[in-house]
Amino acid sequence: MATAVANCFFSVLTSSVKFRCCVSSQRYLATSHHSIASVTCKAVANHKRSPSSNRDRELKEGVSQKKSLRKSKDDDDGISGKRKAGGSQSAAFKSIGAQRKDKKEFKFDIKEQQVEPNNLKDAAFLDAVVKVYCTHTEPDYSLPWQKQRQYTSTGSAFMIGNGKLLTNAHCVEHHTQVKVKRRGDDTKYVAKVLARGVDCDIALLSVESEQFWEGAEPLEFGCLPRLQDAVTVVGYPLGGDTISVTKGVVSRIEVTSYAHGSSDLLGIQIDAAINPGNSGGPAFSDQGECIGVAFQVYRSEEVENIGYVIPTAVVSHFLNDYERNGRYTGFPSLGVLLQKLENPALRACLQVHSNEGVLVRRVEPTSDANRVLKEGDVIVSFDDVNVGCEGTVPFRSNERIAFRYLISQKFAGDVAELGIIRAGSFMKVKVVLNPRVHLVPYHVDGGQPSYLIIAGLVFTPLSEPLIEEECEDSIGLKLLAKSRYSLARFKGQQIVILSQVLANEVNFGYEEMSNQQVLKFNGTPIKNIRHLAHLVDSCKNKYLVFEFEDNYVVVLEREAASASSFHILKDYGIPSERSSDLLEPYVDSLDDNKVEVQDFGNSPVSNLEIGLDGLLWA
C-alpha cells in the first residue's frame, strides 16, 4: 500500500505542469503551480546534431505526456526538446514534423495560409527579417567541470534600429557563436548577444559591421491587435533556405505560459503556421507593423494550428528594462499564492461583502509582500483597479484578463498599492515588486554550474537542468518534491546535493551515494554551495562531518581528504576541485542571517495548493 501511494504521489509530481522547450535535443523544464495538467511547450528551432547524439537524447526522454505545448524555438533543429521530464514523444514529434501529416491536409494548410503579394506592400518590410545561425555549447550538469558537445541551430530575427536585432532567448541559449544573414545576401555577419530575457524569451543582438546595415530599414512596432485581425508570420523555418511567409488571424489574447522561462505573461494566440526555425521572426499586421515575435506552438493530437506570439507590450517592457538598467533585470512578481473567491460562503466567512477579491494563501518569504501581507488577507484592488473573484481584472473594452497581467506591467523596484480586506476591515498597503527568487532555478546563469569536490565527493546546487539531465527517477521523490513546491527562505539559498562520489580509498564505503541533499557540515546548516566551500576551507577539526537527509552521515579525515585531492583530480581528468565562482572570497549575506537556518528547503506545499485551478501564483 505504501509503495502504491508513493508511486501515485510521484506521478503527480512528474505530471505537474511541464512545459517543454524543445530546443533541438535540449530540454527545458518549467514547472507551474497553477495546473496539474501536463503540457509541453516546443521551441521551434532548427538544431543539428549527430545521429548518435539525437538517438541518445531520444532514449533519455522516458516519460510520455499527453499534450505538448512546444516552443517555437527556431534556434534549435526542429527536434526541439532538451528537457527530459515528461514530454510525450508521440504528440511532440508529430507536432514538430508538419511533413508527417497526410498530403491532403498539407495542401489544404498551404492554400489557406498563403499570403497574397499585394498585402505585403511590395515585400519591403521582409528585408528587415534575417536568418540566425547559432552554435551552442551546453554545460554538462552531471559533470559540471566540462561542457557537452557543441551543436548548431537556425532561427529568425529582425531589425529594430540603432544597430540592434531582436530574436528569441532560446535561439541563442548557451551560445558560443552567433551569425546572421540578410535576405538576398550570401554573407554571414557575426552578432553579439547584448541581453537575454529568459522569462519573456527575448534576446537583443547587435551587429557591428556597417556593411550589414546598408540600406536597412528597421521595423515599426504596432499596437496590440484585436481578435480576428489578420496576422502574417515571417521567418526562416524548416523546409527551405529562403524566407517563408504564412498568414492567419488572431485567435486569442490572454496571459500565457512561456515555456522557456516558465513564466506567465501576455501572449497572442494565432492560427498561422509556426514551425521550427520561425522562432524570433516577426508577426505583422495588415498595415505592415510588427505586432510581436513568434516564439512557441501548442502541439497535441486534439488541436492544430495553435501558435503564440510575444506581443509588443512585452517586447517594449524588455527593451525599456534594458535601457533603464544597462542590463535586463526581469519581470517582477508579487510573491503570493492566491485563491479564487467564487464561493459565497467563503466570501461571507472572510467578511467580503462584494463579489470581488482573491484570498492570499501563502506569501513568499523572499518577497516584499511578506512584510505587509498575511495569510487570510483578501486583495480587492491593485493600483485602484478592482480584482474580480476569479482573479481577473478589466482588459480593453469588454474583456477580462488574469490579475498577473497588471503585475507584469511593472518593472523591478516599482511600488504597487494594494487594497486589501483583513478581518473585515479595508486598508491599503504598498508593496515593492521584484523578480521572483527560485529555490531551484530553471536556468543557470553563467557559463558553468557551480561545483565543489571534497575527497571525491562532488557537490553542486540542485537546478532544473540538472534534474532533466539526471532523470527524475534518479533524483528521487524528496528532491523532486522540493524542487517543485518548496520556497526560498532568503535570497541566495540553494539546495546543495551530493551528485556523485568519485571512488577513491579516502571515500571507501560511500561510493554508491548520489543525488542526496547535504544539510549540515560539522553541525552548521548549509545555506548554499559558497557557504559550504567557506565552511570546508575554514575547518580546523580533525574530521569533516557531512549530514544528509534521513540522518545519513559521512565522515572524512581532514588531512587525508586534502592529500587525496590531487590524485583524484588527476585520475578523473578534472582541471580543478571547484568552479571558478567559488574561488572568490566568501561574503556572508545579511539576508542569510535574518532567517532561521533549520530544515533548509523543506517548506512543503500541499497538492491542493499547487494543483487546483482555483489557486494561482501572482
Side-chain angles (χ1 to χ4, degrees), residues 116-130:
E116 296 297 330
N118 294 337
N119 293 338
L120 293 181
K121 297 183 179 179
D122 300 325
F125 60 77
L126 297 184
D127 292 336
V129 185
V130 304

Side-chain angles (χ1 to χ4, degrees), residues 22 116 162 369 434 515 553:
C22 303
E116 296 297 330
N162 297 323
N434 287 299
N515 296 328
V553 178

